[in-house]
Amino acid sequence: MSNTVLITGSSRGIGKEIALYLAKNGYDIALHCNNCIEAANECMKQIEALGRSVRILRFDISNREQCREVIEKDIEQNGVYYGVVLNAGIAKDNVFPAMDDGQWDDVINVNLGGFYNVLKPIVMPMISARIKGRIVTMSSISGLAGNKGQVNYSASKAGIIGATKALALELAKRSITVNCVAPGVIETDMIKDLPIEEMKKLIPMRRIGKVKEVASLVNYLLSEDATYITGQVISVNGGLYQ
């Protein structure tokens, strides 16, 4: 049985940490990137050093035809994935009155459109192969509670939650689980310019989350121990916005 996991946006940040964590726990990895090929190659070397099989898929998750073409070709050549982690996404923040059409469309098309574009060519092959697979989507605390300056991002991440729950219902009888992880403030390059000390005061645990704390949850949701867990949204946020 396949134990390959496709992780979108896995050349850096949370996606890279998930890829490395899963490789250490015995999974083969299909890395994904769009533009960051050098970073993806570096991640591939690290996974190879762990003794796992790894390959890189390059496509734009907002481009439906490109997603279909690359993913279908990869499945034809290498077989159906055991798991998929939908991690790739973008943010283009602005207060709503000043938000332009492009900022809205780009975030919705990448974050929410990517859900459809990536999973559509994967789900039917997974069903046909009778794989008791795992799908993990990545939302955000912004999708649960909203956030000023992120109406577009919050909308896309809330949409992912709804789509996750609906797809979980459809695939449950196939023993394919679909769950969502919603990180809070996590220690990555994305927060380096934010007022960290002020943000810590809002978090009950008074600290920023570590990428390993997100990756370990994804690893659990992919495991045999999580067979009866589906349609759930689990937030990794130190108690912020219960």
Side-chain angles (χ1 to χ4, degrees), residues 212-226:
K212 182 179 179 180
E213 292 168 320
V214 177
S216 62
L217 173 59
V218 173
N219 180 69
Y220 170 70
L221 292 172
L222 289 168
S223 75
E224 283 296 312
D225 292 335

Side-chain angles (χ1 to χ4, degrees), residues 90-105 107 147-155:
I90 62 170
K92 293 190 175 183
D93 297 349
N94 206 344
V95 292
F96 191 73
M99 185 173 291
D100 61 44
D101 293 350
Q103 289 172 321
W104 176 269
D105 291 340
V107 171
N147 193 26
K148 290 185 293 185
Q150 289 194 319
V151 174
N152 52 356
Y153 186 76
S154 295

Side-chain angles (χ1 to χ4, degrees), residues 33 43 61 81 88-89 105 113 116 140 154 157 169 188 199 221 231 240:
C33 72
C43 186
I61 66 170
Y81 310 118
D105 291 340
Y116 179 87
S140 165
S154 295
K157 292 299 186 177
L169 293 174
T188 66
M199 294 175 74
L221 292 172
L240 185 63

